[in-house]
Amino acid sequence: MNPDDNTETAYDLLKRLRVRKLKSMLKENSDEEFAAEIALGLIGKGNTIPSTTVELADRVRDIVRPLIMKQNNWNDKQGLGKNQMKKMKSQSYSTIARVMQAIRIEVNGEFEVLDKLLEDVPKALSPGGRAVFLTFHSGEDRRVKKSFKSGFKSGIYSSWSRDVVRPTSKERRDNPRSSCCKLRWAVRSDKTIDDNTAVDLVKTIDPSLNDQVDWNDRVGMQAKWINEEKGWKVDVEWKLGPFGAGLFACQDIPNGTVLRVGKNGVNLVGFQSIKDIESFCGGEAEDREVYNAKLTYVKDYMWGFSASNTDGRGYDIDTPDNQKKERFFGMWCPGNGLNHNTNPNTVYRASANGGTDDGINLVAISDIKAGDELFDDYRRHGSAPDWLLQFAKKYNVTLNFAECNDFVEEE
């Protein structure tokens, strides 16, 4: 499904995906209603991965046939009538087409290309210029809609099409292929755009764009963006090591080097209350499965640290004004993936341009050689405030840094 011989094939894709990720992909790329059953039937434990499109189509047809029977309350023992057979064939064909579409989109990276285009469009428009997109399925339309809406909120667009424009009855009769077409537009404002205006990772931290991120797939989230987009200033690789998944240097790194730049609202999310966390996870309006996945992600990747009154390695200094120290509680998105070590080679430091209100950087505190793992020491993160302890109690979770060091206590 990809004309480039040097890229991943559809077979390679199915071979490496897990069931949960394939289910998410089928939902996102083609709105497939039987996504869970198809994912399990295609790549579930003990199943042979289809090696041709014909085999894939046959497998999908076998998976959905009993599902369609049940959905229509048909009795297979009595056999299907002519109209039922026709409907079965039509529904099966439509499902197969959606599965093929979903895989093709993923193999070709079509959404990634669209996302990048949507990020670059404002830079190509003069004030008053109009961007117009025609989309042909819901996955594309969602991205265009949310990009325009986000751009309007940030002041990049002065207006946008809140309601989608659809073809008229005459247009559909004259050109049946236009039936699924949707048109959206946005008008460029006169706001100046710099490198910090159109952020690459807005889809990561914007709770309204959950359909673009599988919060259960930590490795997949890392792979969605290149290191530069995640704020890394050095070449690193996220892989399995002696302590589980971690980050390894791909180059020699001198002491004092800024490893990763965290910007609030770009790749860094700050929390000051339980309500902040619940809002990020989506609140009561969120899909419960996604909500729980995001909650687990927050639990695993959230940490806090003292931006002042600390020594060079980030540990608290017991001073009379120790209670007044600047503190940050939040998480990287995607997470850093650093493992704990009592002899760390990195430390977090507040941005020199505005402190924790602006962001947080990850800095090397010793020379790091290519191939070495990057380590953090969770003990230096300080004690947790009351609201964070209440969050842990409310959701019956153990904060990740407390789990390793058992230091979280009342201030």
Side-chain angles (χ1 to χ4, degrees):
M1 296 184 186
N2 191 320
D4 188 346
D5 292 336
N6 298 320
T7 58
E8 184 178 49
T9 66
Y11 175 77
D12 294 332
L13 173 70
L14 292 177
K15 192 173 181 180
R16 72 169 173 83
L17 286 182
R18 294 185 177 182
V19 171
R20 183 184 291 272
K21 177 59 179 176
L22 179 56
K23 170 189 170 184
S24 175
M25 189 191 83
L26 291 173
K27 283 186 174 181
E28 165 62 17
N29 293 7
S30 60
D31 293 317
E32 175 50 53
E33 62 175 324
F34 299 131
E37 295 86 351
I38 292 172
L40 186 63
L42 287 179
I43 62 173
K45 187 176 181 180
N47 291 335
T48 302
I49 306 298
S51 57
T52 67
T53 53
V54 173
E55 186 178 342
L56 174 62
D58 290 341
R59 183 81 66 82
V60 171
R61 187 179 292 105
D62 291 342
I63 294 169
V64 301
R65 178 182 171 84
L67 301 174
I68 295 173
M69 295 285 293
K70 182 177 180 181
Q71 188 180 67
N72 290 283
N73 295 316
W74 292 339
N75 190 335
D76 200 16
K77 294 181 179 180
Q78 298 177 356
L80 298 180
K82 184 177 179 180
N83 290 335
Q84 292 174 329
M85 287 291 293
K86 184 177 180 180
K87 186 174 181 180
M88 171 68 77
K89 183 177 181 180
S90 175
Q91 286 189 254
S92 299
Y93 178 82
S94 296
T95 301
I96 293 169
R98 287 192 295 268
V99 171
M100 297 288 187
Q101 171 185 295
I103 295 174
R104 186 207 73 224
I105 288 173
E106 197 73 17
V107 169
N108 287 294
E110 294 175 26
F111 283 165
E112 287 81 358
V113 174
L114 177 58
D115 289 341
K116 186 68 174 76
L117 174 61
L118 289 167
E119 290 165 4
D120 291 341
V121 161
K123 303 174 186 178
L125 291 174
S126 299
R130 186 180 295 261
V132 181
F133 278 76
L134 290 174
T135 63
F136 290 87
H137 60 80
S138 57
E140 292 176 342
D141 182 62
R142 279 194 297 268
R143 280 169 162 75
V144 174
K145 176 183 176 181
K146 290 171 182 176
S147 176
F148 285 172
K149 181 179 180 181
S150 176
F152 177 74
K153 285 184 176 181
S154 65
I156 296 175
Y157 295 119
S158 59
S159 60
W160 68 291
S161 53
R162 299 175 184 272
D163 297 322
V164 67
V165 180
R166 297 177 181 275
T168 64
S169 299
K170 183 178 185 305
E171 287 174 326
R172 290 195 298 270
R173 286 195 302 270
D174 293 343
N175 179 15
R177 290 186 177 184
S178 71
S179 298
C180 60
C181 183
K182 297 178 181 180
L183 183 149
R184 294 188 186 274
W185 55 264
V187 178
R188 178 72 166 85
S189 70
D190 58 2
K191 179 177 181 178
T192 301
I193 294 180
D194 56 31
D195 290 339
N196 294 320
T197 303
V199 293
D200 292 323
L201 297 182
V202 67
K203 53 182 171 292
T204 305
I205 62 175
D206 183 345
S208 69
L209 304 184
N210 290 322
D211 53 329
Q212 298 185 13
V213 174
D214 181 355
W215 294 92
N216 290 299
D217 185 6
R218 307 295 171 80
V219 177
M221 285 183 67
Q222 294 287 343
K224 274 183 175 291
W225 302 280
I226 61 175
N227 284 337
E228 183 179 1
E229 290 175 326
K230 289 184 283 189
W232 286 100
K233 300 302 179 182
V234 296
D235 191 13
V236 294
E237 182 181 7
W238 206 62
K239 63 181 181 179
L240 290 176
F243 305 97
L247 277 163
F248 292 77
C250 297
Q251 64 183 78
D252 291 338
I253 303 172
N255 181 10
T257 301
V258 175
L259 306 174
R260 186 179 183 185
V261 174
K263 300 285 290 184
N264 283 332
V266 180
N267 59 354
L268 200 65
V269 186
F271 303 115
Q272 296 181 338
S273 67
I274 297 177
K275 185 176 180 181
D276 284 349
I277 299 177
E278 292 174 336
S279 176
F280 172 80
C281 294
E284 295 301 322
E286 182 59 82
D287 176 89
R288 182 52 53 180
E289 183 178 355
V290 174
Y291 183 90
N292 290 335
K294 294 182 75 173
L295 193 63
T296 300
Y297 185 94
V298 171
K299 187 271 290 188
D300 285 347
Y301 281 118
M302 187 169 68
W303 43 262
F305 85 115
S306 302
S308 57
N309 294 312
T310 58
D311 62 18
R313 302 177 76 82
Y315 296 106
D316 289 349
I317 298 175
D318 189 13
T319 60
D321 62 347
N322 199 32
Q323 298 301 315
K324 299 178 182 179
K325 60 195 174 188
E326 184 181 23
R327 186 176 301 283
F328 175 90
F329 282 94
M331 67 177 191
W332 296 84
C333 225
N336 267 344
L338 271 64
N339 282 316
H340 162 66
N341 195 302
T342 55
N343 186 29
N345 52 19
T346 71
V347 70
Y348 294 107
R349 290 181 181 156
S351 168
N353 302 316
T356 55
D357 287 339
D358 177 66
I360 294 168
N361 299 333
L362 183 69
V363 182
I365 55 174
S366 64
D367 292 338
I368 303 173
K369 294 183 178 180
D372 287 351
E373 184 171 2
L374 306 183
F375 285 113
D376 178 22
D377 191 344
Y378 305 158
R379 293 179 301 175
R380 61 172 175 66
H381 290 170
S383 53
D386 288 339
W387 71 265
L388 191 53
L389 297 173
Q390 292 168 8
F391 161 76
K393 183 177 181 180
K394 178 177 181 179
Y395 289 98
N396 192 29
V397 299
T398 301
L399 299 172
N400 192 46
F401 41 83
E403 194 171 1
C404 286
N405 298 98
D406 196 27
F407 73 86
V408 176
E409 55 187 25
E410 300 274 355
E411 288 188 316

